[in-house]
Amino acid sequence: MRPQGGCPARGSGAAGGPCHGRDHRGGGDSLTAGYGLDEHDAYPAQLERLLREAGRPWRVVNAGISGETSSGALSRVNWVLTLKPDIVILVTGANDGLRGIDPKVTEKNLDEMVRTLKERNVTVVLGGMKMVANLGRDYTRAFAAVYPAVAKRHDLILIPFFLEGVAGRPDLNQADGIHPTAEGYRIVSDTVLPYVIKAIEQTPPSGG
């Protein structure tokens, strides 16, 4: 994530502008990629519009890949760094839960991703996830506990539940019951917005 136009910063910005923009990468799985929707309806594009309306002209880049697990996200973290983001919203692990992967594996992968990003002075916003109850109470509790634990350990900004107000609502999800509709992503973007603004305020300006 990177501010556009009028804000000195490193990296590429608005075409023809005298100032560079700063990037925010939305990293994760199909919930970031916007599975089943046009890209402009996915949450990164909707979030960028909300930020612009709030006077925060940051560019939000969609770096999500459908079907990706936290292990896949970890394998891509160095590629994400080549894009020189200032902020990364890390939303991954849902596919781990759907596949019944041990939450300890998810937690280890998140730890490693966060450590790598923070070593490069990237501000990380962590999107918390929860699993459906039919996976069993012990599993769902262990899975949900991963995100607060990682956020506390690394002093991150935590979105308690990325899909708050959307998960489990047929009117806000596509036919698969998992992926939000455009209206569902509008609510997700509203949820994410204050946490991202907090991250922007914590991210020092960079010149270049």
Side-chain angles (χ1 to χ4, degrees):
M1 180 171 177
R2 185 172 289 167
Q4 297 179 5
C7 299
R10 73 175 185 271
S12 59
C19 294
H20 298 293
R22 295 176 76 183
D23 284 349
H24 167 189
R25 305 289 161 177
D29 48 35
S30 57
L31 293 175
T32 296
Y35 175 86
L37 300 176
D38 291 335
E39 188 170 351
H40 71 270
D41 287 326
Y43 103 83
Q46 295 207 45
L47 177 61
E48 182 174 297
R49 292 193 290 271
L50 289 177
L51 285 166
R52 191 176 297 118
E53 291 170 5
R56 308 278 186 167
W58 284 55
R59 184 161 58 111
V60 183
V61 177
N62 188 336
I65 293 182
S66 293
E68 187 169 69
T69 63
S70 64
S71 294
L74 175 59
S75 73
R76 286 197 304 129
V77 70
N78 287 322
W79 172 80
V80 170
L81 285 169
T82 67
L83 305 176
K84 301 186 183 300
D86 295 279
I87 298 172
V88 166
I89 300 178
L90 187 57
V91 183
T92 190
N95 286 315
D96 296 38
L98 292 172
R99 297 179 188 188
I101 293 173
D102 188 339
K104 292 179 181 178
V105 173
T106 305
E107 185 168 353
K108 181 180 178 182
N109 289 337
L110 287 170
D111 274 331
E112 185 63 19
M113 281 183 275
V114 170
R115 182 191 62 77
T116 301
L117 291 166
K118 292 191 73 172
E119 282 179 353
R120 297 288 290 272
N121 298 314
V122 176
T123 301
V124 179
V125 179
L126 182 61
M129 296 302 301
K130 299 178 182 178
M131 273 299 106
V132 293
N134 62 8
L135 291 172
R137 182 178 298 177
D138 290 344
Y139 186 89
T140 55
R141 285 179 175 174
F143 183 89
V146 164
Y147 298 87
V150 172
K152 182 176 181 179
R153 191 152 51 241
H154 297 280
D155 192 25
L156 305 180
I157 296 170
L158 174 67
I159 304 166
F161 183 32
F162 180 74
L163 295 174
E164 184 67 44
V166 176
R169 289 188 54 178
D171 58 321
L172 295 174
N173 286 278
Q174 297 176 53
D176 60 13
I178 297 173
H179 297 95
T181 61
E183 176 61 17
Y185 275 124
R186 184 192 66 76
I187 294 172
V188 169
S189 299
D190 285 340
T191 296
V192 170
L193 181 64
Y195 299 97
V196 171
I197 289 177
K198 183 177 180 180
I200 290 171
E201 292 171 346
Q202 292 182 1
T203 303
S206 54

